[in-house]
mmCIF file of all heavy atoms in Angstrom:
data_model
loop_
_atom_site.group_PDB
_atom_site.id
_atom_site.type_symbol
_atom_site.label_atom_id
_atom_site.label_comp_id
_atom_site.label_asym_id
_atom_site.label_seq_id
_atom_site.Cartn_x
_atom_site.Cartn_y
_atom_site.Cartn_z
ATOM 1 N N PHE A 16 -29.984 -66.906 -34.299
ATOM 2 C CA PHE A 16 -29.572 -67.959 -35.232
ATOM 3 C C PHE A 16 -30.247 -67.819 -36.596
ATOM 4 O O PHE A 16 -29.750 -68.346 -37.581
ATOM 5 C CB PHE A 16 -29.965 -69.341 -34.681
ATOM 6 C CG PHE A 16 -29.218 -69.780 -33.465
ATOM 7 C CD1 PHE A 16 -29.884 -70.020 -32.272
ATOM 8 C CD2 PHE A 16 -27.853 -69.995 -33.510
ATOM 9 C CE1 PHE A 16 -29.202 -70.459 -31.141
ATOM 10 C CE2 PHE A 16 -27.163 -70.431 -32.387
ATOM 11 C CZ PHE A 16 -27.837 -70.663 -31.203
ATOM 12 N N ALA A 17 -31.416 -67.170 -36.629
ATOM 13 C CA ALA A 17 -32.276 -67.223 -37.813
ATOM 14 C C ALA A 17 -31.572 -66.662 -39.044
ATOM 15 O O ALA A 17 -31.422 -65.452 -39.188
ATOM 16 C CB ALA A 17 -33.568 -66.448 -37.541
ATOM 17 N N ALA A 18 -31.130 -67.554 -39.920
ATOM 18 C CA ALA A 18 -30.437 -67.137 -41.148
ATOM 19 C C ALA A 18 -30.385 -68.313 -42.116
ATOM 20 O O ALA A 18 -30.412 -69.470 -41.694
ATOM 21 C CB ALA A 18 -29.006 -66.677 -40.833
ATOM 22 N N TYR A 19 -30.320 -67.996 -43.400
ATOM 23 C CA TYR A 19 -30.014 -69.037 -44.389
ATOM 24 C C TYR A 19 -28.519 -69.305 -44.328
ATOM 25 O O TYR A 19 -27.728 -68.393 -44.072
ATOM 26 C CB TYR A 19 -30.401 -68.578 -45.787
ATOM 27 C CG TYR A 19 -31.879 -68.347 -45.993
ATOM 28 C CD1 TYR A 19 -32.333 -67.336 -46.836
ATOM 29 C CD2 TYR A 19 -32.841 -69.141 -45.356
ATOM 30 C CE1 TYR A 19 -33.691 -67.115 -47.039
ATOM 31 C CE2 TYR A 19 -34.194 -68.922 -45.550
ATOM 32 C CZ TYR A 19 -34.612 -67.909 -46.396
ATOM 33 O OH TYR A 19 -35.956 -67.688 -46.593
ATOM 34 N N LYS A 20 -28.112 -70.568 -44.616
ATOM 35 C CA LYS A 20 -26.723 -70.915 -44.301
ATOM 36 C C LYS A 20 -26.004 -71.765 -45.355
ATOM 37 O O LYS A 20 -24.925 -72.286 -45.077
ATOM 38 C CB LYS A 20 -26.682 -71.645 -42.960
ATOM 39 C CG LYS A 20 -27.481 -72.943 -42.957
ATOM 40 C CD LYS A 20 -27.335 -73.712 -41.660
ATOM 41 C CE LYS A 20 -28.022 -75.062 -41.772
ATOM 42 N NZ LYS A 20 -27.870 -75.876 -40.566
ATOM 43 N N ALA A 21 -26.576 -71.928 -46.543
ATOM 44 C CA ALA A 21 -25.942 -72.798 -47.537
ATOM 45 C C ALA A 21 -25.032 -71.986 -48.463
ATOM 46 O O ALA A 21 -25.504 -71.128 -49.209
ATOM 47 C CB ALA A 21 -27.000 -73.525 -48.352
ATOM 48 N N VAL A 22 -23.742 -72.275 -48.397
ATOM 49 C CA VAL A 22 -22.756 -71.541 -49.204
ATOM 50 C C VAL A 22 -23.107 -71.613 -50.684
ATOM 51 O O VAL A 22 -23.167 -70.598 -51.386
ATOM 52 C CB VAL A 22 -21.338 -72.098 -48.952
ATOM 53 C CG1 VAL A 22 -20.341 -71.550 -49.981
ATOM 54 C CG2 VAL A 22 -20.870 -71.752 -47.546
ATOM 55 N N GLY A 23 -23.351 -72.835 -51.195
ATOM 56 C CA GLY A 23 -23.627 -73.015 -52.623
ATOM 57 C C GLY A 23 -24.861 -72.268 -53.080
ATOM 58 O O GLY A 23 -24.855 -71.601 -54.117
ATOM 59 N N GLU A 24 -25.949 -72.359 -52.279
ATOM 60 C CA GLU A 24 -27.192 -71.657 -52.626
ATOM 61 C C GLU A 24 -26.973 -70.151 -52.635
ATOM 62 O O GLU A 24 -27.527 -69.438 -53.478
ATOM 63 C CB GLU A 24 -28.282 -72.023 -51.627
ATOM 64 C CG GLU A 24 -29.632 -71.408 -51.974
ATOM 65 C CD GLU A 24 -30.680 -71.613 -50.893
ATOM 66 O OE1 GLU A 24 -30.378 -71.382 -49.705
ATOM 67 O OE2 GLU A 24 -31.813 -71.976 -51.252
ATOM 68 N N SER A 25 -26.152 -69.662 -51.706
ATOM 69 C CA SER A 25 -25.920 -68.214 -51.647
ATOM 70 C C SER A 25 -25.186 -67.715 -52.886
ATOM 71 O O SER A 25 -25.362 -66.571 -53.298
ATOM 72 C CB SER A 25 -25.143 -67.838 -50.376
ATOM 73 O OG SER A 25 -23.754 -68.077 -50.491
ATOM 74 N N MET A 26 -24.356 -68.579 -53.484
ATOM 75 C CA MET A 26 -23.665 -68.198 -54.725
ATOM 76 C C MET A 26 -24.679 -68.034 -55.865
ATOM 77 O O MET A 26 -24.541 -67.172 -56.716
ATOM 78 C CB MET A 26 -22.637 -69.266 -55.124
ATOM 79 C CG MET A 26 -21.599 -69.578 -54.057
ATOM 80 S SD MET A 26 -20.372 -68.289 -53.801
ATOM 81 C CE MET A 26 -19.228 -68.627 -55.122
ATOM 82 N N ALA A 27 -25.707 -68.872 -55.859
ATOM 83 C CA ALA A 27 -26.725 -68.839 -56.913
ATOM 84 C C ALA A 27 -27.804 -67.799 -56.651
ATOM 85 O O ALA A 27 -28.374 -67.233 -57.581
ATOM 86 C CB ALA A 27 -27.362 -70.221 -57.059
ATOM 87 N N GLU A 28 -28.099 -67.538 -55.347
ATOM 88 C CA GLU A 28 -29.189 -66.624 -54.989
ATOM 89 C C GLU A 28 -28.733 -65.604 -53.950
ATOM 90 O O GLU A 28 -29.228 -65.609 -52.809
ATOM 91 C CB GLU A 28 -30.381 -67.420 -54.453
ATOM 92 C CG GLU A 28 -30.981 -68.373 -55.467
ATOM 93 C CD GLU A 28 -32.318 -68.920 -54.981
ATOM 94 O OE1 GLU A 28 -33.247 -68.102 -54.803
ATOM 95 O OE2 GLU A 28 -32.419 -70.129 -54.779
ATOM 96 N N PRO A 29 -27.810 -64.714 -54.321
ATOM 97 C CA PRO A 29 -27.277 -63.775 -53.321
ATOM 98 C C PRO A 29 -28.330 -62.865 -52.711
ATOM 99 O O PRO A 29 -28.305 -62.619 -51.499
ATOM 100 C CB PRO A 29 -26.224 -62.975 -54.104
ATOM 101 C CG PRO A 29 -26.524 -63.210 -55.546
ATOM 102 C CD PRO A 29 -27.157 -64.551 -55.626
ATOM 103 N N LEU A 30 -29.273 -62.368 -53.504
ATOM 104 C CA LEU A 30 -30.276 -61.441 -52.957
ATOM 105 C C LEU A 30 -31.107 -62.082 -51.860
ATOM 106 O O LEU A 30 -31.431 -61.450 -50.854
ATOM 107 C CB LEU A 30 -31.201 -60.932 -54.068
ATOM 108 C CG LEU A 30 -30.743 -59.668 -54.798
ATOM 109 C CD1 LEU A 30 -31.749 -59.314 -55.885
ATOM 110 C CD2 LEU A 30 -30.594 -58.499 -53.824
ATOM 111 N N LYS A 31 -31.455 -63.337 -52.056
ATOM 112 C CA LYS A 31 -32.213 -64.086 -51.038
ATOM 113 C C LYS A 31 -31.462 -64.060 -49.709
ATOM 114 O O LYS A 31 -32.062 -63.886 -48.645
ATOM 115 C CB LYS A 31 -32.411 -65.523 -51.524
ATOM 116 C CG LYS A 31 -33.080 -66.450 -50.516
ATOM 117 C CD LYS A 31 -33.217 -67.855 -51.102
ATOM 118 C CE LYS A 31 -33.764 -68.829 -50.054
ATOM 119 N NZ LYS A 31 -33.927 -70.192 -50.584
ATOM 120 N N TYR A 32 -30.140 -64.213 -49.771
ATOM 121 C CA TYR A 32 -29.320 -64.265 -48.559
ATOM 122 C C TYR A 32 -29.160 -62.896 -47.911
ATOM 123 O O TYR A 32 -29.281 -62.766 -46.697
ATOM 124 C CB TYR A 32 -27.955 -64.909 -48.870
ATOM 125 C CG TYR A 32 -28.052 -66.414 -48.739
ATOM 126 C CD1 TYR A 32 -28.828 -67.154 -49.633
ATOM 127 C CD2 TYR A 32 -27.456 -67.084 -47.689
ATOM 128 C CE1 TYR A 32 -28.981 -68.514 -49.495
ATOM 129 C CE2 TYR A 32 -27.591 -68.453 -47.533
ATOM 130 C CZ TYR A 32 -28.355 -69.164 -48.441
ATOM 131 O OH TYR A 32 -28.516 -70.509 -48.283
ATOM 132 N N TYR A 33 -28.898 -61.873 -48.726
ATOM 133 C CA TYR A 33 -28.759 -60.530 -48.139
ATOM 134 C C TYR A 33 -30.071 -60.069 -47.523
ATOM 135 O O TYR A 33 -30.103 -59.498 -46.434
ATOM 136 C CB TYR A 33 -28.260 -59.534 -49.194
ATOM 137 C CG TYR A 33 -26.807 -59.755 -49.553
ATOM 138 C CD1 TYR A 33 -26.429 -60.129 -50.828
ATOM 139 C CD2 TYR A 33 -25.803 -59.606 -48.595
ATOM 140 C CE1 TYR A 33 -25.100 -60.352 -51.149
ATOM 141 C CE2 TYR A 33 -24.471 -59.817 -48.898
ATOM 142 C CZ TYR A 33 -24.125 -60.191 -50.181
ATOM 143 O OH TYR A 33 -22.804 -60.422 -50.481
ATOM 144 N N GLN A 34 -31.172 -60.324 -48.225
ATOM 145 C CA GLN A 34 -32.494 -59.905 -47.729
ATOM 146 C C GLN A 34 -32.815 -60.577 -46.405
ATOM 147 O O GLN A 34 -33.126 -59.925 -45.405
ATOM 148 C CB GLN A 34 -33.560 -60.267 -48.777
ATOM 149 C CG GLN A 34 -34.994 -59.973 -48.358
ATOM 150 C CD GLN A 34 -35.340 -58.501 -48.397
ATOM 151 O OE1 GLN A 34 -34.721 -57.752 -49.133
ATOM 152 N NE2 GLN A 34 -36.320 -58.084 -47.620
ATOM 153 N N ASN A 35 -32.730 -61.893 -46.370
ATOM 154 C CA ASN A 35 -33.137 -62.631 -45.167
ATOM 155 C C ASN A 35 -32.160 -62.430 -44.010
ATOM 156 O O ASN A 35 -32.558 -62.104 -42.891
ATOM 157 C CB ASN A 35 -33.254 -64.124 -45.483
ATOM 158 C CG ASN A 35 -33.720 -64.932 -44.282
ATOM 159 O OD1 ASN A 35 -34.887 -64.895 -43.913
ATOM 160 N ND2 ASN A 35 -32.803 -65.644 -43.649
ATOM 161 N N ASN A 36 -30.885 -62.629 -44.280
ATOM 162 C CA ASN A 36 -29.918 -62.663 -43.180
ATOM 163 C C ASN A 36 -29.680 -61.303 -42.545
ATOM 164 O O ASN A 36 -29.415 -61.214 -41.350
ATOM 165 C CB ASN A 36 -28.592 -63.257 -43.658
ATOM 166 C CG ASN A 36 -28.705 -64.742 -43.987
ATOM 167 O OD1 ASN A 36 -29.800 -65.300 -44.012
ATOM 168 N ND2 ASN A 36 -27.581 -65.386 -44.230
ATOM 169 N N LEU A 37 -29.785 -60.233 -43.345
ATOM 170 C CA LEU A 37 -29.490 -58.913 -42.787
ATOM 171 C C LEU A 37 -30.739 -58.195 -42.285
ATOM 172 O O LEU A 37 -30.713 -57.558 -41.231
ATOM 173 C CB LEU A 37 -28.747 -58.059 -43.816
ATOM 174 C CG LEU A 37 -27.362 -58.631 -44.195
ATOM 175 C CD1 LEU A 37 -26.707 -57.768 -45.258
ATOM 176 C CD2 LEU A 37 -26.448 -58.750 -42.976
ATOM 177 N N VAL A 38 -31.853 -58.303 -43.003
ATOM 178 C CA VAL A 38 -33.080 -57.627 -42.550
ATOM 179 C C VAL A 38 -33.555 -58.213 -41.217
ATOM 180 O O VAL A 38 -33.877 -57.483 -40.272
ATOM 181 C CB VAL A 38 -34.192 -57.715 -43.622
ATOM 182 C CG1 VAL A 38 -35.523 -57.230 -43.047
ATOM 183 C CG2 VAL A 38 -33.806 -56.891 -44.851
ATOM 184 N N SER A 39 -33.563 -59.539 -41.113
ATOM 185 C CA SER A 39 -34.005 -60.178 -39.864
ATOM 186 C C SER A 39 -33.132 -59.735 -38.691
ATOM 187 O O SER A 39 -33.628 -59.448 -37.596
ATOM 188 C CB SER A 39 -33.959 -61.702 -40.004
ATOM 189 O OG SER A 39 -32.627 -62.164 -40.184
ATOM 190 N N TYR A 40 -31.852 -59.658 -38.938
ATOM 191 C CA TYR A 40 -30.880 -59.293 -37.901
ATOM 192 C C TYR A 40 -31.044 -57.834 -37.470
ATOM 193 O O TYR A 40 -31.056 -57.514 -36.277
ATOM 194 C CB TYR A 40 -29.496 -59.541 -38.490
ATOM 195 C CG TYR A 40 -28.326 -59.207 -37.616
ATOM 196 C CD1 TYR A 40 -28.162 -59.807 -36.381
ATOM 197 C CD2 TYR A 40 -27.358 -58.312 -38.058
ATOM 198 C CE1 TYR A 40 -27.060 -59.517 -35.594
ATOM 199 C CE2 TYR A 40 -26.255 -58.024 -37.287
ATOM 200 C CZ TYR A 40 -26.110 -58.623 -36.050
ATOM 201 O OH TYR A 40 -25.019 -58.341 -35.288
ATOM 202 N N MET A 41 -31.209 -56.943 -38.451
ATOM 203 C CA MET A 41 -31.387 -55.520 -38.120
ATOM 204 C C MET A 41 -32.716 -55.281 -37.397
ATOM 205 O O MET A 41 -32.804 -54.423 -36.521
ATOM 206 C CB MET A 41 -31.252 -54.666 -39.372
ATOM 207 C CG MET A 41 -29.809 -54.607 -39.873
ATOM 208 S SD MET A 41 -29.515 -53.412 -41.190
ATOM 209 C CE MET A 41 -30.293 -54.230 -42.567
ATOM 210 N N ASN A 42 -33.736 -56.070 -37.733
ATOM 211 C CA ASN A 42 -35.001 -55.977 -36.998
ATOM 212 C C ASN A 42 -34.800 -56.325 -35.521
ATOM 213 O O ASN A 42 -35.325 -55.637 -34.635
ATOM 214 C CB ASN A 42 -36.042 -56.924 -37.609
ATOM 215 C CG ASN A 42 -36.622 -56.410 -38.910
ATOM 216 O OD1 ASN A 42 -36.435 -55.253 -39.271
ATOM 217 N ND2 ASN A 42 -37.327 -57.275 -39.626
ATOM 218 N N ILE A 43 -34.060 -57.374 -35.271
ATOM 219 C CA ILE A 43 -33.767 -57.786 -33.886
ATOM 220 C C ILE A 43 -33.054 -56.651 -33.143
ATOM 221 O O ILE A 43 -33.428 -56.268 -32.027
ATOM 222 C CB ILE A 43 -32.894 -59.061 -33.874
ATOM 223 C CG1 ILE A 43 -33.687 -60.281 -34.349
ATOM 224 C CG2 ILE A 43 -32.260 -59.282 -32.487
ATOM 225 C CD1 ILE A 43 -34.388 -61.092 -33.309
ATOM 226 N N LEU A 44 -32.012 -56.102 -33.769
ATOM 227 C CA LEU A 44 -31.235 -55.046 -33.119
ATOM 228 C C LEU A 44 -32.081 -53.796 -32.876
ATOM 229 O O LEU A 44 -31.984 -53.154 -31.829
ATOM 230 C CB LEU A 44 -30.007 -54.703 -33.968
ATOM 231 C CG LEU A 44 -28.909 -55.773 -33.995
ATOM 232 C CD1 LEU A 44 -27.900 -55.472 -35.094
ATOM 233 C CD2 LEU A 44 -28.210 -55.876 -32.641
ATOM 234 N N GLN A 45 -32.909 -53.446 -33.860
ATOM 235 C CA GLN A 45 -33.777 -52.276 -33.732
ATOM 236 C C GLN A 45 -34.709 -52.413 -32.533
ATOM 237 O O GLN A 45 -34.877 -51.492 -31.724
ATOM 238 C CB GLN A 45 -34.602 -52.108 -35.016
ATOM 239 C CG GLN A 45 -35.646 -50.994 -34.976
ATOM 240 C CD GLN A 45 -35.027 -49.609 -34.857
ATOM 241 O OE1 GLN A 45 -33.949 -49.365 -35.388
ATOM 242 N NE2 GLN A 45 -35.692 -48.718 -34.142
ATOM 243 N N LEU A 46 -35.307 -53.609 -32.383
ATOM 244 C CA LEU A 46 -36.246 -53.816 -31.285
ATOM 245 C C LEU A 46 -35.535 -53.938 -29.941
ATOM 246 O O LEU A 46 -36.064 -53.494 -28.909
ATOM 247 C CB LEU A 46 -37.110 -55.055 -31.560
ATOM 248 C CG LEU A 46 -38.097 -54.856 -32.732
ATOM 249 C CD1 LEU A 46 -38.742 -56.172 -33.127
ATOM 250 C CD2 LEU A 46 -39.166 -53.818 -32.391
ATOM 251 N N MET A 47 -34.334 -54.493 -29.936
ATOM 252 C CA MET A 47 -33.553 -54.518 -28.696
ATOM 253 C C MET A 47 -33.283 -53.098 -28.220
ATOM 254 O O MET A 47 -33.401 -52.794 -27.034
ATOM 255 C CB MET A 47 -32.234 -55.264 -28.920
ATOM 256 C CG MET A 47 -32.402 -56.764 -29.055
ATOM 257 S SD MET A 47 -30.816 -57.592 -29.291
ATOM 258 C CE MET A 47 -30.043 -57.281 -27.700
ATOM 259 N N LYS A 48 -32.949 -52.228 -29.149
ATOM 260 C CA LYS A 48 -32.691 -50.821 -28.821
ATOM 261 C C LYS A 48 -33.977 -50.160 -28.295
ATOM 262 O O LYS A 48 -33.963 -49.487 -27.272
ATOM 263 C CB LYS A 48 -32.168 -50.103 -30.062
ATOM 264 C CG LYS A 48 -31.897 -48.618 -29.895
ATOM 265 C CD LYS A 48 -31.218 -48.080 -31.143
ATOM 266 C CE LYS A 48 -31.119 -46.564 -31.128
ATOM 267 N NZ LYS A 48 -32.376 -45.900 -31.495
ATOM 268 N N GLU A 49 -35.077 -50.383 -29.001
ATOM 269 C CA GLU A 49 -36.367 -49.785 -28.598
ATOM 270 C C GLU A 49 -36.811 -50.245 -27.209
ATOM 271 O O GLU A 49 -37.307 -49.453 -26.403
ATOM 272 C CB GLU A 49 -37.465 -50.201 -29.595
ATOM 273 C CG GLU A 49 -37.635 -49.276 -30.767
ATOM 274 C CD GLU A 49 -38.796 -49.731 -31.642
ATOM 275 O OE1 GLU A 49 -39.861 -50.117 -31.089
ATOM 276 O OE2 GLU A 49 -38.633 -49.713 -32.878
ATOM 277 N N PHE A 50 -36.656 -51.543 -26.942
ATOM 278 C CA PHE A 50 -37.199 -52.130 -25.712
ATOM 279 C C PHE A 50 -36.167 -52.193 -24.585
ATOM 280 O O PHE A 50 -36.472 -52.669 -23.496
ATOM 281 C CB PHE A 50 -37.745 -53.535 -25.989
ATOM 282 C CG PHE A 50 -39.078 -53.550 -26.690
ATOM 283 C CD1 PHE A 50 -39.162 -53.346 -28.062
ATOM 284 C CD2 PHE A 50 -40.258 -53.754 -25.986
ATOM 285 C CE1 PHE A 50 -40.384 -53.357 -28.717
ATOM 286 C CE2 PHE A 50 -41.485 -53.761 -26.630
ATOM 287 C CZ PHE A 50 -41.557 -53.558 -28.003
ATOM 288 N N GLY A 51 -34.948 -51.743 -24.855
ATOM 289 C CA GLY A 51 -33.917 -51.741 -23.821
ATOM 290 C C GLY A 51 -33.465 -53.132 -23.406
ATOM 291 O O GLY A 51 -33.172 -53.370 -22.228
ATOM 292 N N ARG A 52 -33.421 -54.050 -24.365
ATOM 293 C CA ARG A 52 -32.919 -55.401 -24.083
ATOM 294 C C ARG A 52 -31.414 -55.401 -24.384
ATOM 295 O O ARG A 52 -31.017 -55.175 -25.528
ATOM 296 C CB ARG A 52 -33.652 -56.444 -24.915
ATOM 297 C CG ARG A 52 -35.190 -56.334 -24.858
ATOM 298 C CD ARG A 52 -35.740 -56.705 -23.477
ATOM 299 N NE ARG A 52 -37.146 -56.336 -23.323
ATOM 300 C CZ ARG A 52 -38.180 -57.067 -23.704
ATOM 301 N NH1 ARG A 52 -38.001 -58.218 -24.307
ATOM 302 N NH2 ARG A 52 -39.424 -56.649 -23.468
ATOM 303 N N PRO A 53 -30.556 -55.661 -23.395
ATOM 304 C CA PRO A 53 -29.147 -55.293 -23.546
ATOM 305 C C PRO A 53 -28.237 -56.228 -24.328
ATOM 306 O O PRO A 53 -27.307 -55.774 -24.995
ATOM 307 C CB PRO A 53 -28.654 -55.208 -22.093
ATOM 308 C CG PRO A 53 -29.566 -56.105 -21.328
ATOM 309 C CD PRO A 53 -30.896 -56.039 -22.017
#
């Protein structure tokens, strides 16, 4: 679930949204792959 979610704020601060929402998500996927969590 961990993500920023305000449409209006994302229009004003796109980098904040790409950084938080995608880096956090890719970290989760990377560790799932490493630890074999399916």
Side-chain angles (χ1 to χ4, degrees):
F16 292 118
Y19 296 146
K20 61 175 186 178
V22 169
E24 184 188 47
S25 80
M26 304 288 278
E28 297 192 63
L30 271 179
K31 175 180 175 179
Y32 273 67
Y33 288 116
Q34 176 75 25
N35 182 74
N36 292 9
L37 296 178
V38 170
S39 65
Y40 179 59
M41 289 189 287
N42 284 348
I43 290 269
L44 289 167
Q45 175 65 34
L46 291 170
M47 287 181 66
K48 178 173 171 281
E49 270 183 43
F50 284 79
R52 310 291 168 85

